[in-house]
């Protein structure tokens, strides 16, 4: 069909997403899945009507200011938009969307995996069996922290946080949370609200981070806030690496203040923090919270729904700028 909008998809997406995109757009794909430099993003923006990037493509103020006039919408394949300078996009009049809701189940699954894995010493156990080093069993062997019935603090009871709370209730955990404002009872369920972050930290035997990375939340878990946690707390982060001061976390794990951590996000990605490898109490995954076949399709389709609405002259459902 003539006059299809030209769409650039900088990363390799699910086959179903790419097939639908190719049906409805003149699509430029990246089968090699290479990472695009800021120069490439700027160059491509002069030749395409829309871009469907992931959180790996950085749209800072400089990139957005140099983007071509032709690109009118950036439809992200992510719920997080900390890789986008939204103010710069607004100034340029370029529409930006994200993909909320559809990755909440998958991300909460990984948060529970990390929470239980950190509590029950999954890294050490796996290493022992895998390396043929499991030579003994005794009641005092590899004893961990029970999750069932304990208290879970959640920073950010948004969509992912609420699914995490629901899963935690399956383990009879008592859920507490801190948000900027209290949620209505139907969203809060029986979670206990703490207007004050320190008050939440003081009761959080387990703590899971589910807030977006913003200038206000950067480093929300640092030496001072970690000191407010109960001794032997277990920390989980499936949101963004920027939320944690990693050297403070390392110190707290080394001192035993924190008994374990489950991390899917790091300050430096890809790569992570090599210093964490010295601690088997830190259970790590490479930012795969949303990496399931179902969720990849759902994220791709949600981004395409936003593009379809935009090019049909309607307001995209998930507009963030
Ligand atoms: C998100 O959607 O923000 C996830 O971190 C994957 O990009």
């Amino acid at each position: 069909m003539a006059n299809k909008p030209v769409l650039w998809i900088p990363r390799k997406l699910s086959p179903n997403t790419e097939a639908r995109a190719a049906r409805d757009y003149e699509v430029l794909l990246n089968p090699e899945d290479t990472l695009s430099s800021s120069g490439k993003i700027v160059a491509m923006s002069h030749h395409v009507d829309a871009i469907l990037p992931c959180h790996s493509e950085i749209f800072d103020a400089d990139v957005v200011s140099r983007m071509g006039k032709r690109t009118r919408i950036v439809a992200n394949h992510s719920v997080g938009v900390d890789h986008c300078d939204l103010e710069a996009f607004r100034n340029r009049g370029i529409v930006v969307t994200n993909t909320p809701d559809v990755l909440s189940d998958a991300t909460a699954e990984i948060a529970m995996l990390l929470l239980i894995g950190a509590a029950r010493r999954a890294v050490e156990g796996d290493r022992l069996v895998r390396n043929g080093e499991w030579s003994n069993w005794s009641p005092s062997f590899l004893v961990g922290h029970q999750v069932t019935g304990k208290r879970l603090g959640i920073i950010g009871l948004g969509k992912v946080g609420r699914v995490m709370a629901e899963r935690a209730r399956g383990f009879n955990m008592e859920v507490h949370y801190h948000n900027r404002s209290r949620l209505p009872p139907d969203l809060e369920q029986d979670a206990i609200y703490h207007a004050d972050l320190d008050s939440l930290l003081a009761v959080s035997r387990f703590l899971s981070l589910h807030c977006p990375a913003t200038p206000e939340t950067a480093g929300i878990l640092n030496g001072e806030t970690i000191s407010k946690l109960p001794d032997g707390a277990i920390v989980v982060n499936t949101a963004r690496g920027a939320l944690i001061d990693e050297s403070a976390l390392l110190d707290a794990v080394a001192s035993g203040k924190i008994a374990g951590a489950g991390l899917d996000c790091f300050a430096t990605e890809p790569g992570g923090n090599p210093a964490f490898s010295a601690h088997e109490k830190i259970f790590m995954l490479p930012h795969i919270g949303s990496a399931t076949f179902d969720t990849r399709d759902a994220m791709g389709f949600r981004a395409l729904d936003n593009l379809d609405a935009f090019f049909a002259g309607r307001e995209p459902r998930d507009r963030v700028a």
Side-chain angles (χ1 to χ4, degrees):
M1 193 208 297
N3 296 328
K4 284 183 187 174
V6 178
L7 169 64
W8 177 40
I9 302 183
R11 302 307 301 267
K12 188 168 164 56
L13 302 184
S14 77
N16 289 330
T17 303
E18 292 193 349
R20 177 175 148 183
R23 183 193 68 192
D24 298 335
Y25 295 87
E26 190 183 314
V27 74
L28 305 174
L29 299 174
N30 175 12
E32 289 80 30
D33 205 19
T34 45
L35 200 57
S36 295
S37 64
S38 54
K40 166 109 183 192
I41 293 171
V42 170
M44 291 299 288
S45 71
H46 288 267
H47 304 290
V48 302
D49 302 300
I51 305 177
L52 198 166
C54 297
H55 78 266
S56 48
E57 283 66 63
I58 308 302
F59 291 84
D60 59 20
D62 175 57
V63 167
V64 177
S65 72
R66 293 188 290 130
M67 282 175 67
K69 286 197 174 63
R70 180 161 177 186
T71 294
R72 293 159 58 210
I73 176 167
V74 170
N76 284 295
H77 182 281
S78 67
V79 64
V81 286
D82 49 303
H83 59 293
C84 293
D85 189 320
L86 297 181
E87 199 46 47
F89 273 117
R90 284 186 199 106
N91 292 338
R92 286 291 316 271
I94 299 171
V95 170
V96 181
T97 60
N98 70 343
T99 57
D101 306 317
V102 292
L103 43 67
S104 305
D105 287 333
T107 307
E109 280 180 9
I110 285 287
M112 275 317 287
L113 170 67
L114 289 168
L115 187 151
I116 297 170
R120 299 299 302 274
R121 305 175 63 176
V123 178
E124 293 160 86
D126 179 81
R127 191 246 311 145
L128 286 171
V129 183
R130 186 177 301 273
N131 295 348
E133 295 167 6
W134 178 29
S135 56
N136 184 28
W137 186 93
S138 108
S140 56
F141 170 65
L142 222 59
V143 177
H145 303 275
Q146 187 146 318
V147 168
T148 303
K150 299 284 164 53
R151 204 177 271 152
L152 170 66
I154 293 181
I155 301 182
L157 201 67
K159 288 171 175 134
V160 181
R162 292 200 291 275
V163 179
M164 178 64 174
E166 203 50 50
R167 302 295 171 263
R169 284 182 194 107
F171 286 84
N172 291 331
M173 297 186 90
E174 181 183 288
V175 180
H176 292 238
Y177 76 103
H178 169 71
N179 265 9
R180 269 174 308 184
S181 49
R182 186 168 179 175
L183 294 177
D186 60 316
L187 296 182
E188 188 177 68
Q189 300 286 331
D190 58 357
I192 298 159
Y193 179 60
H194 295 253
D196 178 39
L197 176 61
D198 286 355
S199 155
L200 175 81
L201 295 171
V203 300
S204 297
R205 175 76 172 73
F206 291 83
L207 180 75
S208 195
L209 307 182
H210 295 286
C211 54
T214 64
E216 293 74 41
T217 61
I220 194 166
L221 205 64
N222 53 48
E224 197 191 327
T225 48
I226 287 172
S227 74
K228 308 274 167 49
L229 288 165
D231 291 345
I234 288 175
V235 167
V236 171
N237 185 14
T238 52
R240 283 293 184 266
L243 301 176
I244 295 184
D245 173 343
E246 294 187 342
S247 52
L249 180 65
L250 271 167
D251 289 348
V253 171
S255 73
K257 168 72 187 171
I258 286 190
L263 306 175
D264 187 45
C265 299
F266 302 86
T268 303
E269 293 186 12
N273 186 335
F276 285 154
S277 308
H279 297 279
E280 291 194 323
K281 302 260 177 338
I282 306 181
F283 180 17
M284 295 182 278
L285 294 172
H287 201 140
I288 55 166
S290 56
T292 68
F293 294 109
D294 311 62
T295 295
R296 287 290 179 246
D297 279 350
M299 291 171 77
F301 286 7
R302 186 85 172 223
L304 288 169
D305 289 347
N306 285 318
L307 284 173
D308 294 351
F310 177 82
F311 286 109
R314 298 191 308 274
E315 179 73 358
R317 173 181 180 185
D318 305 311
R319 184 169 179 172
V320 291

